[in-house]
Amino acid sequence: MHNKEYHGRFAPSLTGPLHVGSARTALVAWCAARHRGGRFTIRIEDLDEPRTISGMMDRHLNDLRWLGIDWDHGPDVGGPHAPYLQSLRLNDYQTSLDQLHSQRMLFPCILSRKDVRELTSKEPSPIYPAHLRPVNVSPNWYEEPQSDITIRLKTPNRQIDFVDAICGPQHQNVSTTVGDFPLKRRDGVYSYQLATSVDDLNMEITEVVRGQDLIDSTARQLLLIDLLGGLGLNYAHVPLVLNSDGKKLSKRESSMTIGALRNAGVTSEVFVGYMAWTLGWIPSPLPISAKELIQFFNWSSMSHLPDWILAQTLINPKA
Ligand code: GLU
């Protein structure tokens, strides 16, 4: 029976094949939902079209199925909040943007990233301070926008606090850490921060489980959700799988894709068992199915785990 309250999700981008790091995060997100008897949604994040690779969605879904993950709602099965591809949900993002505009929270920005960097001398990703907001803005700028403007949020000076299930208490004042961040880019693409916040809100997600590389985005998303009238969600940011250089696995590291493991003859039980061991859920890396793993789900072992793993040992752990 489903716990109606809990609703988790996994939201892959299609900029490369599913690699072991994302697969491990997907397993954690899925176990978190199933352990609580909750619902699980797959949402495809394909807004960044130039970087989205065709055919990648089916590969992702096949790889997730191979892992033993199933979902109640998703691009292939539909659901109450369909469609589950961000490229088909543009009306939702526009409606939320309109709402923020009616709350006078937006402004048009003609500066490029380079301009902002030069004006603020911050590297590599500049903070956009409130004093760079344009002073003379046409009253119709939103209804009749110039081309080549970025729509930014007038970020309020407010501290956002949340308790991450893995990383513990977090505090961030977005106005000083990132400043006025973009909601719609100059090429017309809605930003990741806006699209993810709107989707998590509109899809009634109750807990977001994703990689630790995104923990910094959470305050921005909680702020947007709050401005849009939503309630805060729960968050858990899973340690990343790192390569032997201690860096995040890149989508280009093809040896670390689920496809490569499958081709090398690794079974899903071997992979799942190895991942479960790296998460501190089972005492040794013995094969186990995703379904059997649900009972071992917990957050506490993960918080003690060092956030590095030599992923190369996966294909041949004894080498
Ligand atoms: N699409 C992001 C990724 O593939 C995840 C975004 C999220 O979970 O909020 O890394």
Side-chain angles (χ1 to χ4, degrees):
M1 250 225 331
H2 274 162
N3 166 357
K4 281 224 173 61
E5 292 298 316
Y6 189 101
H7 188 186
R9 51 68 155 187
F10 180 64
S13 305
L14 298 181
T15 50
L18 190 72
H19 61 65
V20 298
S22 313
R24 193 172 79 139
T25 303
L27 266 176
V28 175
W30 180 78
C31 284
R34 297 308 191 211
H35 188 79
R36 276 83 152 248
R39 285 174 297 147
F40 192 63
T41 286
I42 300 288
R43 179 174 79 227
I44 300 294
E45 303 211 326
D46 60 344
L47 283 186
D48 207 351
E49 266 177 70
R51 295 177 62 221
T52 290
I53 299 169
S54 75
M56 205 45 95
M57 181 176 93
D58 289 340
R59 276 176 73 180
H60 268 73
L61 297 182
N62 280 335
D63 286 346
L64 291 168
R65 267 187 224 105
W66 175 82
L67 286 168
I69 289 177
D70 62 351
W71 46 95
D72 308 295
H73 318 305
D76 54 339
V77 292
H81 302 289
Y84 290 92
L85 273 93
Q86 287 193 326
S87 56
L88 301 178
R89 301 179 61 81
L90 304 184
N91 284 344
D92 276 26
Y93 311 139
Q94 190 57 44
T95 303
S96 295
L97 204 65
D98 293 349
Q99 184 184 332
L100 292 168
H101 175 62
S102 67
Q103 293 166 216
R104 302 190 170 281
M105 293 303 297
L106 307 179
F107 70 93
C109 166
I110 52 165
L111 303 175
S112 66
R113 282 171 73 85
K114 188 164 163 271
D115 297 334
V116 178
R117 197 160 26 237
E118 279 168 11
L119 288 163
T120 58
S121 63
K122 284 276 193 311
E123 299 269 353
S125 116
I127 295 171
Y128 191 104
H131 68 77
L132 288 187
R133 288 176 197 164
V135 253
N136 294 318
V137 176
S138 139
N140 296 334
W141 75 268
Y142 190 79
E143 290 73 25
E144 296 157 20
Q146 286 169 254
S147 57
D148 263 17
I149 59 149
T150 302
I151 299 183
R152 291 181 182 267
L153 181 77
K154 290 181 192 161
T155 302
N157 181 359
R158 178 194 307 173
Q159 176 155 299
I160 305 288
D161 302 307
F162 66 98
V163 179
D164 188 278
I166 298 168
C167 308
Q170 308 290 316
H171 316 281
Q172 196 185 130
N173 185 333
V174 180
S175 71
T176 53
T177 55
V178 283
D180 294 338
F181 56 97
L183 301 185
K184 195 173 183 187
R185 301 189 327 209
R186 57 178 55 216
D187 59 5
V189 176
Y190 298 97
S191 73
Y192 159 70
Q193 305 298 349
L194 179 75
T196 296
S197 311
V198 170
D199 283 346
D200 287 339
L201 177 63
N202 290 356
M203 292 182 174
E204 300 173 311
I205 300 298
T206 59
E207 184 169 71
V208 170
V209 180
R210 60 185 172 197
Q212 245 167 45
D213 53 331
L214 289 168
I215 193 163
D216 221 43
S217 293
T218 303
R220 269 170 277 179
Q221 294 174 13
L222 278 171
L223 177 64
L224 284 173
I225 288 170
D226 181 56
L227 292 172
L228 291 168
L231 294 176
L233 332 174
N234 294 322
Y235 288 86
H237 288 87
V238 181
L240 301 181
V241 175
L242 304 184
N243 67 18
S244 53
D245 299 331
K247 301 217 174 81
K248 183 186 161 190
L249 284 184
S250 107
K251 303 244 177 193
R252 283 181 292 276
E253 280 171 274
S254 54
S255 62
M256 284 298 115
T257 63
I258 294 301
L261 292 182
R262 291 170 69 168
N263 289 340
V266 176
T267 66
S268 62
E269 287 81 6
V270 164
F271 175 75
V272 170
Y274 192 86
M275 290 291 110
W277 173 66
T278 69
L279 291 164
W281 287 359
I282 55 175
S284 51
L286 294 177
I288 187 169
S289 71
K291 221 176 180 152
E292 287 167 316
L293 189 62
I294 297 170
Q295 62 188 304
F296 298 110
F297 162 83
N298 74 80
W299 296 132
S300 53
S301 61
M302 249 183 287
S303 55
H304 302 298
L305 190 85
D307 67 351
W308 56 271
I309 289 161
L310 300 184
Q312 269 80 349
T313 56
L314 255 180
I315 289 183
N316 185 4
K318 294 196 187 76

